[in-house]
Amino acid sequence: MTHDATEKTPPPAAAAGVADFSTSRLEAFSDGVFAIAITLLVLDLNVPDPGGLDGQSLASALAHQWPAYFAYLVSFLVIGIIWINHHAMCALARRVDRPTLFANLVLLLTVSVIPFPTRLLATYLTARHADAHTAAAVYAATMVAMSAAFSLLFLSFTRDARTLHTPIPAEAKRAARRRFGIGGVCYLAALGLAFVSPVAMLATHAVVALYYCFDQLAPARSTR
Amino acid sequence: MTHDATEKTPPPAAAAGVADFSTSRLEAFSDGVFAIAITLLVLDLNVPDPGGLDGQSLASALAHQWPAYFAYLVSFLVIGIIWINHHAMCALARRVDRPTLFANLVLLLTVSVIPFPTRLLATYLTARHADAHTAAAVYAATMVAMSAAFSLLFLSFTRDARTLHTPIPAEAKRAARRRFGIGGVCYLAALGLAFVSPVAMLATHAVVALYYCFDQLAPARSTR
Amino acid sequence: MTHDATEKTPPPAAAAGVADFSTSRLEAFSDGVFAIAITLLVLDLNVPDPGGLDGQSLASALAHQWPAYFAYLVSFLVIGIIWINHHAMCALARRVDRPTLFANLVLLLTVSVIPFPTRLLATYLTARHADAHTAAAVYAATMVAMSAAFSLLFLSFTRDARTLHTPIPAEAKRAARRRFGIGGVCYLAALGLAFVSPVAMLATHAVVALYYCFDQLAPARSTR
Amino acid sequence: MTHDATEKTPPPAAAAGVADFSTSRLEAFSDGVFAIAITLLVLDLNVPDPGGLDGQSLASALAHQWPAYFAYLVSFLVIGIIWINHHAMCALARRVDRPTLFANLVLLLTVSVIPFPTRLLATYLTARHADAHTAAAVYAATMVAMSAAFSLLFLSFTRDARTLHTPIPAEAKRAARRRFGIGGVCYLAALGLAFVSPVAMLATHAVVALYYCFDQLAPARSTR
């Protein structure tokens, strides 16, 4: 016997058939995926094999792994900031429909795959040129896909005013799209940079993440 | 001291002894398992060992791993769509009882095991024929089990009208069962296909997942 | 800006200082640990190395791994049933205090460690006698510790009637303790069995888990 | 169609623009990261390779791994206690703003990285002196960073009285800061101890965790 006072009853909006799902389970599932992806990154920090130190000290073996720490930090920051912005976006909606759930799934795909390019970059950042560029390009391409999926999800969330708490004015929508566009251009530029300097590519992503940390949806809200 | 206004008090249904559990913790635990299973898939994407490239470029070594990406994508899609449908199914119920919790646990078993056949298929998809067929059959059999567990859970959820928000009309129940039947036949066909073409088997699962993405429970609801 | 109507305000009980925490975050954190531990078990199912098959077919190599599947299934069942019973126990309480949070942490320690003895048993179940017995004893000892931690948590949850929804009558408490005692004896018997037959030990745990699947707290509730 | 009665509507505080986020998703995401980090620790408990026992019994090979169990236990305790205190801190706030979300992300970074220094220490605790000291220093430095991030988050949570349920009196704030200061000094002392005795360093962290288990925020509340 549980003692949960909030038995669920059908809300009026559902009866109207506007949008079928509450945002709470979308948030719970997404939070789970974000939390796991961000925490799995730590599995890519390798402990040097005691038998493989070859007279080297552990301190210098650890220092030698700086690309792994760098990639870890940037990916952690990227996933963390996406989470904050996902949080802010979900707060705009009252209910979501199946297409939005699917668009959210596409975003989660690009987020949950991030540990793979991170590991790849950590391993090849200081390898011979061609391979470092390949690894950097895979990393940057993942971020381009993630950025595109986030924009798509924003469009899906906001395409039907009836699913929102308050309609977003056209001007605010345009401002938000402009900012998504700027972000997209930065990510594409970082992809180009991957073929010049993998380290600069990674640093660019850290900067873009910090830029996104400041509220991208602010104009959409301040004008309401 | 916490500040949680919603202290839990026994709901009338609990007093009546109809069904003992709220759906919220079932959803929280299930969301956790779905989120973890879908995110653990990324651990099966291997970074090629720099020492084992043998003069090959990283790009070609990565391209060589296409079965791993293919299996990853299909399994991600399958788990994601099950989650969406699990979400829709839970929304029908007000409360759940122990048999339903147990049926849910059986579904979670078939979902949380998916990373294993995925890794198996990624490793053996391009191996010699007999082994590729074995790996494909294990993958397809897991999906058959998952499909059967989902149907079982649907029956358990809907067997007692008192645990639902609104009784489901007999006609709608029949329609839902028919659609589950069609799904089951597809999964069995895919299992047969595993012994002919593992790649076609995998592609079939992608198609079935997208088919299930469209609302299987729609008839059960539209007729209400 | 979020749109969360349920701003938290201090409940009367908190003002009275009876117990300081709501159960909701305890449940969320516990659900997370249960969900992760149960899903991490899949990492212990190894894909046979294609280079190590030695002419053997994949099918026979997989069949050879039966101890891993057996251990996986039993541990999945054990964690799943603990989750169901944890769920039922939390439903008795209105609020929890720090000692209960700490007792819960001890239970989570014994639950989250389960993948280790599971992997150990999967590896050594068919090894030479002494090592199989050692692995089985470690597995059974983990279950004894888990069972003891669960009983401790039950005592902590129920020691102060003011933290419960409804006081549990003394008779019902005695019945619950008797059943916990029976469970404890079974777990100790299984520990002894580890030194005779590791396979029988594992089968015993499957049976005990199914026994616990039936509501251990039923008497405590039916008499209310 | 879902049946979620609690459709979200904009709360007055949000309109006032005081703080933009509800604490519930911050708690959900943080609980996820805490739960995953604490459960991933188990992956660092290695099962001895049956082929590498060299005539040694499994029991003695397991006993030989005591540093791994010791590090596992201390890190489990540390993460568990941080979770309890994070829980207590979140309960003080009504809403959070972006800087607090970011400060929380920094804390989660230091928490989710803990499995790495734990694995490092487990591997090198009984290695030659210089390497054991290095591993111990990395472990202790992680804890210093975590402690600093927690203090920073406390300052961020409490810097604006309008985001709290009840303003915290200046005296109580001073008391809380004093206790954080004492904790910080302990962590720094443990860092120094790393270069003397790694085992004593680890034991110190167990003691500090148990000290923190007792309510650090009690004075901040009792005076309200």
Side-chain angles (χ1 to χ4, degrees):
Chain A
M1 177 164 37
T2 57
H3 304 265
D4 188 342
T6 58
E7 284 221 2
K8 296 178 293 179
T9 50
V18 175
D20 287 347
F21 296 92
S22 79
T23 57
S24 61
R25 254 192 100 181
L26 178 140
E27 290 177 7
F29 181 65
S30 303
D31 282 353
V33 171
F34 283 123
I36 299 151
I38 213 170
T39 317
L40 281 186
L41 291 169
V42 77
L43 297 183
D44 299 337
L45 298 178
N46 292 314
V47 169
D49 179 11
L53 288 183
D54 281 336
Q56 204 186 11
S57 74
L58 173 61
S60 82
L62 285 174
H64 202 70
Q65 293 187 0
W66 67 266
Y69 312 134
F70 189 17
Y72 173 80
L73 270 174
V74 176
S75 292
F76 191 96
L77 196 63
V78 166
I79 298 178
I81 305 296
I82 304 171
W83 173 76
I84 293 182
N85 285 309
H86 188 266
H87 187 10
M89 189 162 63
C90 287
L92 297 172
R94 277 191 319 152
R95 308 194 67 73
V96 289
D97 51 17
R98 260 176 194 261
T100 301
L101 285 185
F102 193 77
N104 191 59
L105 204 56
V106 173
L107 175 66
L108 294 183
L109 173 65
T110 64
V111 169
S112 70
V113 87
I114 286 176
F116 173 61
T118 303
R119 216 181 319 145
L120 192 69
L121 195 59
T123 310
Y124 285 93
L125 191 61
T126 52
R128 57 177 180 190
H129 274 212
D131 288 351
H133 292 168
T134 301
V138 170
Y139 188 92
T142 305
M143 295 303 164
V144 169
M146 186 273 290
S147 159
F150 196 90
S151 303
L152 190 79
L153 182 58
F154 178 75
L155 292 179
S156 182
F157 253 109
T158 57
R159 76 184 192 289
D160 184 348
R162 288 173 301 172
T163 64
L164 301 176
H165 288 284
T166 327
I168 301 178
E171 165 54 31
K173 260 196 192 168
R174 268 196 300 277
R177 281 178 198 170
R178 210 177 308 128
R179 295 191 131 209
F180 279 122
I182 294 171
V185 167
C186 291
Y187 282 117
L188 283 172
L191 178 54
L193 206 53
F195 297 98
V196 182
S197 163
V199 172
M201 180 281 302
L202 200 50
T204 302
H205 277 108
V207 172
V208 174
L210 288 173
Y211 162 77
Y212 268 118
C213 185
F214 298 97
D215 188 0
Q216 293 310 298
L217 302 172
R221 297 210 306 261
S222 60
T223 54
R224 283 158 57 185
Chain B
M1 177 163 38
T2 56
H3 303 265
D4 189 341
T6 58
E7 284 221 2
K8 297 179 293 182
T9 49
V18 175
D20 286 346
F21 296 92
S22 79
T23 58
S24 60
R25 255 193 99 179
L26 178 140
E27 290 177 8
F29 182 64
S30 304
D31 281 352
V33 171
F34 283 123
I36 298 152
I38 213 170
T39 316
L40 281 186
L41 291 170
V42 78
L43 297 183
D44 299 337
L45 298 179
N46 291 315
V47 168
D49 180 9
L53 288 183
D54 282 336
Q56 205 187 10
S57 74
L58 173 62
S60 81
L62 286 173
H64 203 70
Q65 292 188 1
W66 66 266
Y69 312 135
F70 189 17
Y72 173 80
L73 270 174
V74 176
S75 292
F76 190 97
L77 197 62
V78 166
I79 298 178
I81 305 297
I82 304 172
W83 174 75
I84 293 181
N85 285 308
H86 187 267
H87 188 11
M89 188 162 63
C90 287
L92 297 172
R94 278 191 317 152
R95 308 195 67 73
V96 291
D97 52 15
R98 262 177 191 260
T100 302
L101 285 186
F102 193 77
N104 191 59
L105 204 56
V106 173
L107 175 66
L108 294 183
L109 173 65
T110 65
V111 169
S112 70
V113 87
I114 287 177
F116 173 61
T118 304
R119 215 180 320 147
L120 193 69
L121 196 58
T123 310
Y124 285 94
L125 191 62
T126 53
R128 58 178 179 190
H129 273 212
D131 289 350
H133 292 169
T134 301
V138 170
Y139 188 92
T142 306
M143 296 302 164
V144 169
M146 186 273 290
S147 160
F150 196 90
S151 303
L152 190 78
L153 183 58
F154 178 75
L155 293 178
S156 182
F157 254 109
T158 56
R159 77 184 192 290
D160 183 347
R162 288 172 300 171
T163 64
L164 301 176
H165 288 284
T166 327
I168 301 179
E171 165 55 31
K173 259 196 192 168
R174 269 194 301 276
R177 281 178 199 171
R178 212 177 306 128
R179 297 191 129 208
F180 278 122
I182 294 171
V185 168
C186 291
Y187 282 118
L188 283 172
L191 179 53
L193 206 54
F195 297 98
V196 183
S197 162
V199 172
M201 181 281 300
L202 199 51
T204 303
H205 278 108
V207 171
V208 174
L210 288 172
Y211 162 77
Y212 268 117
C213 185
F214 298 97
D215 189 359
Q216 293 311 296
L217 302 172
R221 298 211 306 260
S222 61
T223 53
R224 280 157 62 184
Chain C
M1 177 164 38
T2 57
H3 304 266
D4 190 342
T6 58
E7 285 220 2
K8 297 179 292 182
T9 49
V18 174
D20 286 346
F21 296 92
S22 78
T23 57
S24 61
R25 255 192 100 179
L26 178 141
E27 289 176 10
F29 181 65
S30 303
D31 282 353
V33 171
F34 283 124
I36 298 153
I38 213 171
T39 316
L40 280 186
L41 291 169
V42 77
L43 298 183
D44 299 337
L45 299 178
N46 292 314
V47 169
D49 179 11
L53 288 182
D54 283 336
Q56 203 187 12
S57 75
L58 173 61
S60 83
L62 286 173
H64 203 71
Q65 293 187 0
W66 67 266
Y69 312 135
F70 189 17
Y72 172 81
L73 270 174
V74 175
S75 292
F76 190 97
L77 196 62
V78 166
I79 299 178
I81 305 297
I82 303 171
W83 173 76
I84 293 182
N85 284 310
H86 188 267
H87 188 12
M89 189 163 62
C90 287
L92 297 172
R94 279 189 318 151
R95 309 194 66 73
V96 290
D97 52 16
R98 263 177 190 259
T100 302
L101 286 186
F102 193 77
N104 191 59
L105 203 56
V106 173
L107 174 66
L108 294 183
L109 173 66
T110 64
V111 169
S112 69
V113 87
I114 287 176
F116 172 62
T118 304
R119 214 179 321 145
L120 192 70
L121 196 59
T123 310
Y124 286 93
L125 191 61
T126 53
R128 60 181 177 187
H129 273 213
D131 289 350
H133 292 168
T134 301
V138 171
Y139 188 91
T142 306
M143 297 302 165
V144 169
M146 187 272 291
S147 159
F150 196 90
S151 303
L152 190 79
L153 182 59
F154 178 76
L155 293 179
S156 181
F157 254 109
T158 57
R159 77 183 191 291
D160 182 348
R162 288 171 302 170
T163 65
L164 301 176
H165 288 284
T166 327
I168 302 178
E171 165 54 33
K173 261 197 192 168
R174 269 195 300 277
R177 282 179 198 172
R178 211 178 307 126
R179 295 191 130 208
F180 279 121
I182 295 171
V185 168
C186 291
Y187 282 118
L188 283 172
L191 178 54
L193 207 52
F195 297 97
V196 182
S197 162
V199 172
M201 180 280 301
L202 201 50
T204 302
H205 278 108
V207 172
V208 173
L210 288 172
Y211 162 77
Y212 268 117
C213 185
F214 299 97
D215 189 0
Q216 293 311 296
L217 302 172
R221 297 211 305 260
S222 61
T223 53
R224 281 159 59 186
Chain D
M1 177 164 37
T2 57
H3 303 266
D4 189 343
T6 58
E7 284 220 2
K8 297 179 292 181
T9 49
V18 174
D20 287 347
F21 297 92
S22 78
T23 57
S24 60
R25 255 192 99 181
L26 177 141
E27 289 176 8
F29 182 65
S30 304
D31 281 353
V33 171
F34 283 123
I36 299 152
I38 214 170
T39 317
L40 281 186
L41 291 170
V42 76
L43 297 183
D44 299 337
L45 299 178
N46 292 313
V47 169
D49 179 11
L53 289 183
D54 282 336
Q56 203 188 12
S57 74
L58 173 62
S60 82
L62 286 173
H64 203 70
Q65 293 188 359
W66 67 266
Y69 312 135
F70 189 18
Y72 173 80
L73 271 174
V74 175
S75 292
F76 190 97
L77 196 63
V78 166
I79 298 178
I81 305 297
I82 303 171
W83 173 76
I84 293 182
N85 285 309
H86 188 267
H87 188 10
M89 189 163 62
C90 287
L92 297 173
R94 278 189 320 150
R95 308 193 68 72
V96 290
D97 52 16
R98 262 176 193 260
T100 302
L101 286 186
F102 193 76
N104 191 59
L105 204 56
V106 173
L107 175 66
L108 295 183
L109 173 65
T110 64
V111 169
S112 69
V113 87
I114 287 175
F116 173 61
T118 304
R119 216 180 319 145
L120 193 69
L121 196 58
T123 311
Y124 286 93
L125 191 60
T126 53
R128 59 179 178 187
H129 272 212
D131 289 351
H133 292 167
T134 301
V138 171
Y139 189 91
T142 305
M143 295 303 165
V144 169
M146 186 273 289
S147 159
F150 197 89
S151 303
L152 190 77
L153 183 58
F154 178 75
L155 292 179
S156 182
F157 253 109
T158 56
R159 78 182 189 291
D160 183 347
R162 288 172 301 171
T163 64
L164 302 176
H165 288 285
T166 326
I168 302 178
E171 164 55 31
K173 261 195 192 169
R174 268 195 300 277
R177 282 179 198 169
R178 211 177 308 127
R179 294 190 131 209
F180 279 122
I182 295 170
V185 168
C186 291
Y187 282 118
L188 282 173
L191 178 53
L193 206 53
F195 297 99
V196 182
S197 162
V199 172
M201 181 279 302
L202 200 49
T204 303
H205 278 108
V207 172
V208 174
L210 289 172
Y211 162 77
Y212 268 117
C213 184
F214 298 97
D215 188 359
Q216 293 310 296
L217 302 172
R221 297 210 305 261
S222 61
T223 54
R224 280 158 59 186

